[in-house]
Amino acid sequence: MAPAGHLARFGFTDDARSSALAGPDGLRLWDPETRRPVDDDAATLLETLYFAADPDLALFQLHRLVEVAGEEVRDAVLSDRPLRRRLTGVLGVSATLGDLLVSNPPDWKELQGEQNSRPAGYSTRDVSTVPLLRSGYRRELLRIVAADLTGAADVDVTMRRLTELADATLSAALTIASTEHPDFSGICTLSVVAMGKCGGVELNYVSDVDVVFVAEPVDGADVEVAMRAGSTLAARLMEICGFVAWPVDAALRPEGSRGALVRTVASHLAYYRKWAKTWEFQALLKARPAAGDLELGARWLQELQPLIWSAAERPEAVDEVRAMRRRIIEQIPRTEVDREIKRGPGGLRDIEFAVQLLQLVHGRADETLRTPTTITGLRGLIEGGYVGLADGEALLRAYRFLRTVEHRLQLQRLRRTHTVPDDPAALRWLAHALGYRPNAARDAVESFRADWVRHAQEVRRLHAKLLYRPLLEAVARVPSEQLRLTATAAKARLELLGFADPAGALRHIEALTGGVSRTAAIQRQLLPVLLSEFADAPEPDRGLLAYRQVSDKLGNTPWYLRLLRDEGPVALRLARLLALSRYVTELLVHDPEALRLLADDAELVPRTAAQLATQFAAAAARHDDPETAINAVRASRRRELFRIACADLLGFLDVSVVGVALSAVIDATLRATLGVTAAPAVDRSLDFAIIGMGRLGGEETSYPSDADVLFVYEPPPGMADDAASGLALTVAEDLRRLLARPAPDPPLGVDADLRPEGRQGPLVRSLGAYQQYYARWSKVWEAQALLRARHVAGSPDLGARFLALADTMRFPDGGLTREQIHEIRRLKARVDSERLPRGADPATHTKLGRGGLADVEWTVQLLQLLHGRTVPGLRTTRTLEALTEATSAGLIDAADAAALRSAWRQASRVRNLLTLVRGRATDQLPRQGPDLAAVARILGGVEPQEFLDEYLRVARRARQAVERIFSS
């Protein structure tokens, strides 16, 4: 006899066995002499067997079936194509179903003929006894499996048919139980409410069927007697179903397994109103009357609706749902957690929990989300704009994939399992059962695993994105009645929230939410939360107006509303920023793309000076025209100001870090601009440098600060001084002109008034001219100004030589003379009496007021001038660093130093915030009004008057320290 090795091409792995089963002494499909199928029909059957999950098993079970059912089976399989596909599919996927067919030979005929037109359930069968019901269930299950395996029914239809079969089985079991207890029909009426997967119309092949029993007495019957009768019927139903098909689990009832098996509607309501936990309301999302008195079940469910759809408003609700999901994962054995497609990370539970939590939160106002079915619920979330289209479709694909995997796993032995096997042979079977076949690139198992990993990773990502969305908690905190208001009620609500112009606010809301577009739907989700955030600000109307302005700019941009809805805390951050800061609003209106920065904390970290210098220089280098190049630099500056301002307002940055970050932005702006304007000078080898002075030099820049600078140049050998001076002047004037041009970014004034002779002196000087001036004419205030000198742009070598010159002035040998000290005191007194603007409040002026920035900085600078030559640590441009060194050197009392430090930090922070709040520079802290309230809210939400009292107290202590030091 010729070897039967060619049978392997039909997927058989055991040559000897398959040859025997298919050969002359078996099914007569294979001729071992020719090593070919006996005829075309046999070849077709063998080719069909190839597509079975396990061709060897399918051939073996078909052989057994023919042995017990006769040649009729063989003839039908060879001639009837639909039957051939159905029967070989069933026999190859499930040893248990094959055994059942062999044990009940006539059942194979259930797979003949038209299948889809046959009604679901038992409408054509007699199931009046338990044995008949068991037989009927087995046959109906066989039909469902065959349709699933041949592609006649997709996973959605399969889950629906399994659920319909379960409903019919529950009804039949209750009918049998009622027949056994005929007297009970006059005592009580019983409704069987499906829960879990059965309630959700997404049942799998092998699962407990979760139910809740609801009963009511009939015609005035005694309640206690009626409940005993109902309990008897329910218990018998559970017993019958356990024998026929699957266990019935009533553990989701009130009080679980310790509670009464059957309750009245009133008893259920009393429990859910007083005792139910959040997870119990989550479980009720799946409730669906399935058998018995359906009207009673519908009434029970209707009575529970207000309780279900208010559960999300519990303070702990969202956290409880999240915690339950974590506990489920923790209960999985470590060896199985990565293979669990139901409970494990990236599994079905991740999808279900995300959908159910979104339903609980958003279903309060949107009744289209009130469905027990995961797929329908997810579709509603997509259509309502609660879940992004791409994200939702990814979850739908993953859900169907994982459900299909679960079905195949359970079919093999008709056992409840959700764990992908790690045995290679079992994995190969599963891959084949799912339709994977080897190809040139990879084998079937590798293909399956690649798809599984891809879906699981996507589910894990989207589960975290949806379940832990900060906006979800914020929406849950909004009472249900505020999520859907009539125009009149909305106007009244806006008045209560503190809107000064409720009618105007309502017009903004209607403009944002009107219509049936997806954009309007997402706005309807966002606005209840945003309005609450705006209401917490001193001027809610301003926040809503700003939000509308930004939305009008970006409303048609695909990413805008998706970013607000999906990306972490963006919506809540945006609401806070718009409600509190005109400065940020203006920046955002002119650069809407900057909104993306709010999605990631890492994007709110200020860029380093080196990063900014590279970025700004690259922006300028992309354009040949100087004005266009500087416009690009200023756009980069605008983006960085937005980054810093947002981080500042959100509490991410210390005031000292803000000063350094703002100074670095100015440094980079000056360097990039100088790179454009100095090109002619560079071509002629003229050295040019910019020296930062004032707050820029000290890297303590505030939002309203100008760039205080000195311009210094040095001509190359052979160039006349007049020519060099003219060239340097052109560079400086072009720089100031380009940065002063009208633009949508906050202005950057380049102020050179600290140069020798002030405004009367030349704008630019050579290093030699500076040396001559400082040697002959310098005054003590100029030495004081040079304490802040720092090279910020241009020639590093020239900058270093200028700073060496400055050191001789700011840290003179022997310190200050008596006359110079007296001059500083006189100048300080003059600042106190003359420079304060007319009408300003000296107690709350952050810059020149008592205990303000000038007080602290003049005090520290006096110490630097006096002792900088002998105390190296004082040779710093930064105020707080110098104050620390002066304390360490014993030059100042520690308590006074602490008072000065607190006052400087306070005044710097408040000055910055006043600019951010008002959108323009101001140094005056008002004693009342919305600006004071906004600053107080940003600084921790304290009462405005309490904050003002604290500001005055800190300033008074600092002023006392200043007077002690200046008078000593």
Side-chain angles (χ1 to χ4, degrees), residues 311-596:
E313 294 172 20
R314 297 175 167 204
E316 70 285 356
V318 173
D319 284 338
E320 283 184 357
V321 173
R322 293 168 174 168
M324 176 176 286
R325 177 64 189 121
R326 289 192 295 269
R327 285 196 297 273
I328 289 173
I329 294 176
E330 290 166 0
Q331 292 169 1
I332 306 172
R334 286 188 176 183
T335 56
E336 297 179 7
V337 68
D338 291 332
R339 297 185 288 118
E340 249 275 3
I341 61 166
K342 178 182 177 181
R343 298 177 299 160
L348 290 163
R349 280 288 186 266
D350 273 356
I351 301 173
E352 292 166 350
F353 265 68
V355 170
Q356 289 164 19
L357 183 54
L358 290 171
Q359 284 179 295
L360 280 173
V361 171
H362 298 297
R364 295 174 298 154
D366 188 346
E367 295 188 7
T368 64
L369 302 180
R370 299 182 180 183
T371 172
T373 305
T374 300
I375 287 177
T376 307
L378 186 49
R379 277 281 176 216
L381 290 167
I382 296 169
E383 290 167 5
Y386 305 98
V387 174
L389 184 60
D391 290 348
E393 292 296 336
L395 286 176
L396 285 170
R397 288 192 296 271
Y399 184 80
R400 292 185 171 111
F401 174 84
L402 293 170
R403 276 290 184 207
T404 303
V405 174
E406 181 185 45
H407 285 178
R408 297 298 179 270
L409 284 170
Q410 294 181 346
L411 278 176
Q412 188 175 27
R413 298 289 179 186
L414 284 187
R415 292 177 182 169
R416 185 168 65 175
T417 180
H418 313 96
T419 307
V420 174
D422 51 6
D423 174 68
L427 260 179
R428 187 165 53 252
W429 171 88
L430 176 60
H432 286 174
L434 290 164
Y436 290 95
R437 291 296 181 270
N439 56 42
R442 56 176 62 165
D443 64 26
V445 171
E446 289 173 335
S447 297
F448 158 66
R449 191 181 292 280
D451 284 350
W452 175 33
V453 169
R454 175 172 53 82
H455 283 301
Q457 287 176 342
E458 190 74 344
V459 169
R460 291 179 76 165
R461 180 183 70 83
L462 294 174
H463 169 79
K465 177 179 177 179
L466 297 176
L467 199 72
Y468 293 92
R469 180 190 289 174
L471 187 64
L472 202 60
E473 295 169 284
V475 174
R477 288 195 295 268
V478 178
S480 298
E481 63 271 13
Q482 294 180 29
L483 293 175
R484 42 184 177 185
L485 297 175
T486 63
T488 303
K491 187 174 178 182
R493 178 63 188 164
L494 291 168
E495 288 179 353
L496 289 174
L497 286 173
F499 283 82
D501 181 12
L506 191 57
R507 286 194 296 273
H508 291 317
I509 294 170
E510 289 169 346
L512 290 165
T513 62
V516 295
S517 67
R518 186 175 180 82
T519 295
I522 298 176
Q523 289 284 21
R524 285 193 288 272
Q525 300 171 44
L526 295 169
L527 272 169
V529 176
L530 301 183
L531 289 174
S532 296
E533 290 294 315
F534 297 149
D536 287 339
E539 296 180 288
D541 302 74
R542 189 173 82 188
L544 179 57
L545 173 61
Y547 179 67
R548 179 168 179 196
Q549 290 172 336
V550 174
S551 293
D552 286 347
K553 278 263 187 179
L554 289 171
N556 295 323
T557 308
W559 57 264
Y560 169 57
L561 290 176
R562 185 170 66 241
L563 183 75
L564 296 187
R565 181 195 60 203
D566 295 343
E567 295 300 328
V570 176
L572 298 179
R573 286 177 174 177
L574 177 64
R576 176 179 173 85
L577 294 168
L578 294 180
L580 293 173
S581 175
R582 287 190 178 95
Y583 186 91
V584 165
T585 300
E586 284 297 315
L587 289 172
L588 190 58
V589 166
H590 290 108
D591 183 15
E593 292 276 341
L595 181 64
R596 296 177 185 270

Side-chain angles (χ1 to χ4, degrees), residues 4-5 18 46 75 168 178 219 232 273 375 435 456 477 481 549 577 652 720 787 803 821 823 876 899 939 967:
S18 58
L46 289 170
D75 295 343
S178 299
D219 297 331
T232 301
R273 283 177 180 143
I375 287 177
R477 288 195 295 268
E481 63 271 13
Q549 290 172 336
L577 294 168
F652 293 165
L787 288 170
L803 294 180
I821 296 173
E823 177 66 10
T876 173
L939 291 173
S967 64

Side-chain angles (χ1 to χ4, degrees), residues 241-253:
C241 289
F243 176 74
V244 166
W246 18 247
V248 172
D249 188 347
L252 291 177
R253 65 186 185 270

Side-chain angles (χ1 to χ4, degrees), residues 50-63:
Y50 171 79
F51 291 100
D54 185 342
D56 293 285
L57 175 63
L59 180 65
F60 172 66
Q61 295 286 49
L62 179 60
H63 183 271

